[in-house]
Amino acid sequence: MDVHAALADASTVPFWLDSAERPEPLPPLSRDIPAELLVVGGGFTGLWTALQAKERDPDRHVVLVEANSIGWAASGRNGGFCAASLTHGYDNGETHLPDENDRLAQLGRENLDAIEAAVERYGMDCEFERTGELDVATEDYQVAELREAHDPDAGFVFYGQQQLAELVKSPTYKAALWDSREVALVNPAKLCWELLRVVRQLGVEVFEGTKVTDVSDRKSHVQVTTEVTAETINDCASTPCSTISAERVALATNVFPSLLKRVSLHTVPVYDYALMTEPLSDEQLTAIGWEGRQGIGDCANRFHYYRLSADNRILFGGWDAVYHFGRQISWKYDQRPETFETLAEHFFATFPQLEGLTFTHKWGGPIDTCSRFFSFFTTAYGKKVAMAAGFTGLGVGASRFAGTVMLDLLSGASTELTELEMVRRLPLPFPPEPAAWLGIKMTTQALIKADENEGKRGPLLRVLDAVGMGFDS
């Protein structure tokens, strides 16, 4: 298969954002204003925070500012896997928070139910499908763990190779575990845009092209300084500033540099990449099966995730997670030809019956990760400011929960959520450079070696496990 030909005409715009349904830009903030609650960041975390704030108190004056446009970053270009897990999988939760892991799993299920209820209540057109996810084994050593997790009463169903072939046809599959209840699929950009529609209808003031440059305590309130971004005004030499005097502030900037210096070392940006095919014909769909439309992910440390879109394209992403020295974030890293070619090769190895299919989109971008691989929280200035970050690629669902937590923290009340160890305890920070770059490089190589050695974890990974910085996908 000539993957170069399959990729030749692919757009570099993320598929979900390459849509005529994308809303017209909203004007930036151009005056000083007050706010009872200011939300900084127009991705899932910020939008869910704003929505829940208005649901709690319809009269509350809520303002949301976004430096670029709503949903333009990780929230609008991910795979659209909306998972119940708040801890990047039950096993990872058990490693980091064993005393409350079962409760967190239940809270995650309730959170996913609440997302589905909100989609229905507000009539959100976001292609929500609660089809679950198949975790597939592509190596013999991966099968036993999936078989042991078989628990139909809890929604986890094991399929052997022959049974699985009746669901999805791939020569690479050895077995699978279907998580039938705890994953939904969405069009992530449309979910962002629908959340925008809803919060504006509820009275939230939204300003795009408005970058926050400083957050300062003024005792009675928080002073937030903003500037109009060059992308908005088309003049890099002119960046008009405005000030927001906010009673409370929720920071939802995730992968971008923290506005709170105390947690500036707690996340690093890693680049994730994905492809989208042209729509499959009826014959091509028949050739692969997949009538259940589940999301699919494989079991290796370097894993793939893939799913069908509403118009029967296949999104195929994952594999490489690339860190750039100095925590760099730049548009120039959004395209990585060697990763796209590898993904295309793996796609056709997974579905050789689709030879001749072409890719219409190829894209990438940064996501934030922390050392425990799920979100963390902090407050500042006498709990007038709250922050959430560190979702590590699993924020489509967990972002709503993060909004709930931040609103509880900002209320000053003691609630079940504010007392969770997950909320009270920060993960270990990453070291400064050059140690961060070297450590991430060494860890990546160790994970690759583990995949080549039937999943057996070497000395470095065992040390990271022992100090609470290990991860097993």
Side-chain angles (χ1 to χ4, degrees), residues 219-300:
K219 303 305 180 183
S220 63
H221 66 278
V222 179
Q223 181 171 299
V224 178
T225 305
T226 72
E227 65 180 24
V228 177
T229 61
E231 290 83 358
T232 303
I233 59 176
N234 296 316
D235 181 0
C236 296
S238 177
T239 51
C241 296
S242 299
T243 298
I244 304 171
S245 300
E247 296 177 14
R248 296 290 184 271
V249 178
L251 300 178
T253 56
N254 294 309
V255 73
F256 298 100
S258 173
L259 289 160
L260 298 179
K261 291 183 179 180
R262 70 178 68 175
V263 288
S264 61
L265 294 178
H266 282 74
T267 62
V268 294
V270 294
Y271 275 73
D272 177 61
Y273 297 91
L275 303 174
M276 185 68 95
T277 72
E278 62 185 320
L280 274 63
S281 67
D282 291 342
E283 293 77 11
Q284 289 168 327
L285 285 169
T286 299
I288 61 172
W290 211 351
E291 294 180 3
R293 299 182 60 81
Q294 304 92 337
I296 299 178
D298 51 42
C299 296

Side-chain angles (χ1 to χ4, degrees), residues 161-398:
Q161 191 169 28
Q162 290 185 340
Q163 294 172 302
L164 180 56
E166 297 176 4
L167 297 179
V168 188
K169 300 176 176 65
S170 171
T172 66
Y173 292 173
K174 308 289 186 180
L177 183 73
W178 180 32
D179 178 352
S180 64
R181 301 175 185 172
E182 298 191 5
V183 179
L185 300 177
V186 298
N187 178 320
K190 289 181 74 172
L191 178 54
C192 287
W193 300 335
E194 286 290 82
L195 284 166
L196 171 63
R197 173 184 63 81
V198 172
V199 299
R200 294 185 72 202
Q201 288 176 347
L202 294 177
V204 176
E205 287 191 272
V206 180
F207 299 96
E208 294 184 318
T210 304
K211 180 180 179 179
V212 170
T213 58
D214 183 69
V215 178
S216 300
D217 189 15
R218 291 294 185 268
K219 303 305 180 183
S220 63
H221 66 278
V222 179
Q223 181 171 299
V224 178
T225 305
T226 72
E227 65 180 24
V228 177
T229 61
E231 290 83 358
T232 303
I233 59 176
N234 296 316
D235 181 0
C236 296
S238 177
T239 51
C241 296
S242 299
T243 298
I244 304 171
S245 300
E247 296 177 14
R248 296 290 184 271
V249 178
L251 300 178
T253 56
N254 294 309
V255 73
F256 298 100
S258 173
L259 289 160
L260 298 179
K261 291 183 179 180
R262 70 178 68 175
V263 288
S264 61
L265 294 178
H266 282 74
T267 62
V268 294
V270 294
Y271 275 73
D272 177 61
Y273 297 91
L275 303 174
M276 185 68 95
T277 72
E278 62 185 320
L280 274 63
S281 67
D282 291 342
E283 293 77 11
Q284 289 168 327
L285 285 169
T286 299
I288 61 172
W290 211 351
E291 294 180 3
R293 299 182 60 81
Q294 304 92 337
I296 299 178
D298 51 42
C299 296
N301 289 307
R302 289 211 295 179
F303 60 91
H304 309 89
Y305 56 87
Y306 39 115
R307 46 80 56 97
L308 290 164
S309 67
D311 59 350
N312 292 324
R313 302 167 185 262
I314 298 176
L315 181 147
F316 196 85
W319 191 250
D320 286 330
V322 183
Y323 173 74
H324 297 279
F325 186 91
R327 292 174 164 83
Q328 293 181 67
I329 296 174
S330 173
W331 61 267
K332 65 185 179 183
Y333 300 131
D334 291 354
Q335 292 293 302
R336 195 166 191 264
E338 60 267 43
T339 294
F340 296 139
E341 291 170 13
T342 298
L343 284 173
E345 291 168 357
H346 292 178
F347 175 86
F348 289 113
T350 303
F351 296 123
Q353 60 270 53
L354 298 181
E355 182 175 354
L357 198 68
T358 61
F359 299 99
T360 60
H361 296 76
K362 55 183 181 183
W363 72 92
I367 60 173
D368 67 332
T369 187
C370 68
S371 62
R372 71 186 187 190
F373 310 100
F374 57 89
S375 58
F376 65 86
F377 304 87
T378 193
T379 60
Y381 306 143
K383 296 187 177 180
K384 293 193 292 292
V385 175
M387 172 187 165
F391 294 93
T392 316
L394 208 70
V396 179

Side-chain angles (χ1 to χ4, degrees), residues 22 26 42 47 64 66 68-72 192-193 196 206 208:
R22 190 169 188 169
L26 296 172
L47 290 163
L64 185 151
E66 162 56 47
N68 196 295
S69 59
I70 296 297
W72 75 279
C192 287
W193 300 335
L196 171 63
V206 180
E208 294 184 318

Side-chain angles (χ1 to χ4, degrees), residues 14-263:
F15 169 77
W16 310 113
L17 297 173
D18 190 12
S19 171
E21 298 179 57
R22 190 169 188 169
E24 290 295 317
L26 296 172
L29 181 63
S30 58
R31 66 190 190 281
D32 295 346
I33 61 170
E36 291 180 293
L37 172 66
L38 171 65
V39 179
V40 181
F44 285 136
T45 305
L47 290 163
W48 280 118
T49 302
L51 174 57
Q52 292 178 90
K54 293 298 284 186
E55 288 179 330
R56 292 185 181 194
D57 181 359
D59 295 327
R60 192 175 193 180
H61 180 209
V62 179
V63 174
L64 185 151
V65 295
E66 162 56 47
N68 196 295
S69 59
I70 296 297
W72 75 279
S75 293
R77 55 167 158 74
N78 60 78
F81 285 65
C82 187
S85 177
L86 304 174
T87 57
H88 220 124
Y90 184 85
D91 290 346
N92 192 53
E94 195 69 15
T95 296
H96 292 280
L97 299 169
D99 293 339
E100 62 188 32
N101 193 35
D102 286 336
R103 179 56 181 151
L104 288 173
Q106 178 59 35
L107 288 169
R109 288 187 288 270
E110 293 172 3
N111 181 65
L112 181 57
D113 290 342
I115 290 173
E116 183 171 17
V119 168
E120 182 175 350
R121 181 167 63 254
Y122 294 110
M124 296 188 198
D125 176 15
C126 62
E127 299 163 17
F128 187 97
E129 300 179 85
R130 198 157 177 174
T131 55
E133 180 177 2
L134 288 166
D135 294 325
V136 297
T138 56
E139 301 289 344
D140 290 331
Y141 75 86
Q142 299 166 348
V143 175
E145 185 175 355
L146 297 182
R147 183 183 288 113
E148 291 170 4
H150 178 66
D151 186 356
D153 290 341
F156 296 95
V157 181
F158 175 78
Y159 294 98
Q161 191 169 28
Q162 290 185 340
Q163 294 172 302
L164 180 56
E166 297 176 4
L167 297 179
V168 188
K169 300 176 176 65
S170 171
T172 66
Y173 292 173
K174 308 289 186 180
L177 183 73
W178 180 32
D179 178 352
S180 64
R181 301 175 185 172
E182 298 191 5
V183 179
L185 300 177
V186 298
N187 178 320
K190 289 181 74 172
L191 178 54
C192 287
W193 300 335
E194 286 290 82
L195 284 166
L196 171 63
R197 173 184 63 81
V198 172
V199 299
R200 294 185 72 202
Q201 288 176 347
L202 294 177
V204 176
E205 287 191 272
V206 180
F207 299 96
E208 294 184 318
T210 304
K211 180 180 179 179
V212 170
T213 58
D214 183 69
V215 178
S216 300
D217 189 15
R218 291 294 185 268
K219 303 305 180 183
S220 63
H221 66 278
V222 179
Q223 181 171 299
V224 178
T225 305
T226 72
E227 65 180 24
V228 177
T229 61
E231 290 83 358
T232 303
I233 59 176
N234 296 316
D235 181 0
C236 296
S238 177
T239 51
C241 296
S242 299
T243 298
I244 304 171
S245 300
E247 296 177 14
R248 296 290 184 271
V249 178
L251 300 178
T253 56
N254 294 309
V255 73
F256 298 100
S258 173
L259 289 160
L260 298 179
K261 291 183 179 180
R262 70 178 68 175
V263 288

